[in-house]
Amino acid sequence: MIDKYREDVMAALDVVPSGSSIAVGGFGSSGRPDALLNALCDLDRRDLHVIVNNVGDDFTGIGRLLVEGRVRRFTGSFPILPAFYEAYFSGKVELELIPQGTLAERMRAGGAGIAAFFTPSAADTMLSDGTFPIRYVDGRGAGYLSPKETREFDGRLHVLEHGIAADFGLVKAQKGDRKGNLRFHLSARNFNPLAAMSGRTTFAEVEQLVPVDELGPDDIHLPGVFVHHVVMTAEPVPAGPEYTSAAEGAS
């Protein structure tokens, strides 16, 4: 048996270099891999391209990466944290905005080896016609999403979207075994399996490490073939004074 369990989170994540693209699981704070995200901060990783459904609404997880200036580009659907927009409009971070269903399918496609697909979502909008500003300089748009190829199917315009294959995937599961088989809890199942598939190398933090063969076939939401390293979860780092002040400044 290939044992994928790693006792030392920091040592396991040390292989992730600055500048990496990282697909992150979770739906809001549900199923967010905070132990892994905090490890990236503690390892002082920067210039990251983060692919995740949403930034979150606090200064833990993705929010911590953001306020510590570690994110170069955000690819996702709901960057609702006010501090994110402050960073975006001041030119500190790039934004690739994607409809939620399209993001999910791009991650799944990347993990399944599918290069691209057509979808009607975002057709005839600034997310597909080359007018959405991906970054700002001095308060003005200085770079834009590239125009996307379109094609008509059954009388309806569709947009060509490419699968996402990230350098690394970071996910959180309720249960997992040493083979990397994972079970997610409720809404945490939404994006975690997709982020795991999208990562060329995937790390999973688990709340419970269970014996191999304890999870029945119907209990496994993601097979271990998509997971390379398993670690135990940890409590999120509490928001310190620097994050509190950042939140107050963004409000």
Side-chain angles (χ1 to χ4, degrees), residues 3 69 132 189:
D3 190 348
F132 183 85
R189 190 176 175 182

Side-chain angles (χ1 to χ4, degrees), residues 17-100:
S18 293
S20 298
S21 60
I22 302 175
V24 181
F27 194 75
S29 59
S30 175
R32 187 177 61 196
D34 282 333
L36 296 170
L37 294 169
N38 287 328
L40 288 180
C41 293
D42 295 338
L43 288 166
D44 197 28
R45 298 303 189 255
R46 297 182 177 274
D47 194 36
L48 300 173
H49 177 190
V50 178
I51 303 151
V52 63
N53 179 56
N54 60 301
V55 174
D57 58 1
D58 57 24
F59 295 96
T60 57
I62 302 299
R64 183 183 174 192
L65 289 173
L66 176 69
V67 298
E68 292 185 3
R70 304 181 185 281
V71 179
R72 171 181 55 84
R73 180 168 180 161
F74 170 83
T75 294
S77 303
F78 294 99
I80 63 174
L81 189 67
F84 173 84
Y85 288 99
E86 182 179 304
Y88 171 52
F89 288 119
S90 63
K92 297 177 181 177
V93 64
E94 297 177 348
L95 171 61
E96 180 185 7
L97 193 64
I98 305 177
Q100 188 177 58

Side-chain angles (χ1 to χ4, degrees), residues 114-125:
I114 297 172
F117 59 92
F118 280 97
T119 174
S121 296
D124 283 328
T125 74

Side-chain angles (χ1 to χ4, degrees), residues 157-174:
L157 193 65
H158 287 63
V159 175
L160 181 68
E161 296 282 0
H162 293 268
I164 294 175
D167 296 327
F168 298 93
L170 305 182
V171 302
K172 179 181 179 181
Q174 181 189 43

Side-chain angles (χ1 to χ4, degrees), residues 76-207:
S77 303
F78 294 99
I80 63 174
L81 189 67
F84 173 84
Y85 288 99
E86 182 179 304
Y88 171 52
F89 288 119
S90 63
K92 297 177 181 177
V93 64
E94 297 177 348
L95 171 61
E96 180 185 7
L97 193 64
I98 305 177
Q100 188 177 58
T102 301
L103 174 64
E105 183 60 14
R106 285 185 64 184
M107 295 169 80
R108 189 202 68 81
I114 297 172
F117 59 92
F118 280 97
T119 174
S121 296
D124 283 328
T125 74
M126 63 192 307
L127 296 183
S128 64
D129 65 10
T131 62
F132 183 85
I134 198 170
R135 66 177 179 274
Y136 280 81
V137 174
D138 297 327
R140 302 171 65 90
Y144 296 84
L145 290 177
S146 299
K148 297 179 179 179
E149 179 183 340
T150 59
R151 183 173 173 181
E152 190 172 290
F153 293 91
D154 297 326
R156 188 176 184 185
L157 193 65
H158 287 63
V159 175
L160 181 68
E161 296 282 0
H162 293 268
I164 294 175
D167 296 327
F168 298 93
L170 305 182
V171 302
K172 179 181 179 181
Q174 181 189 43
K175 295 181 180 181
D177 62 27
R178 289 175 178 267
K179 288 184 176 181
N181 298 307
L182 304 178
R183 175 180 175 80
F184 302 98
H185 184 60
L186 298 177
S187 61
R189 190 176 175 182
N190 284 341
F191 275 91
N192 269 302
L194 305 174
M197 294 175 65
S198 176
R200 295 185 178 94
T201 300
T202 292
F203 297 83
E205 62 173 88
V206 299
E207 295 177 1

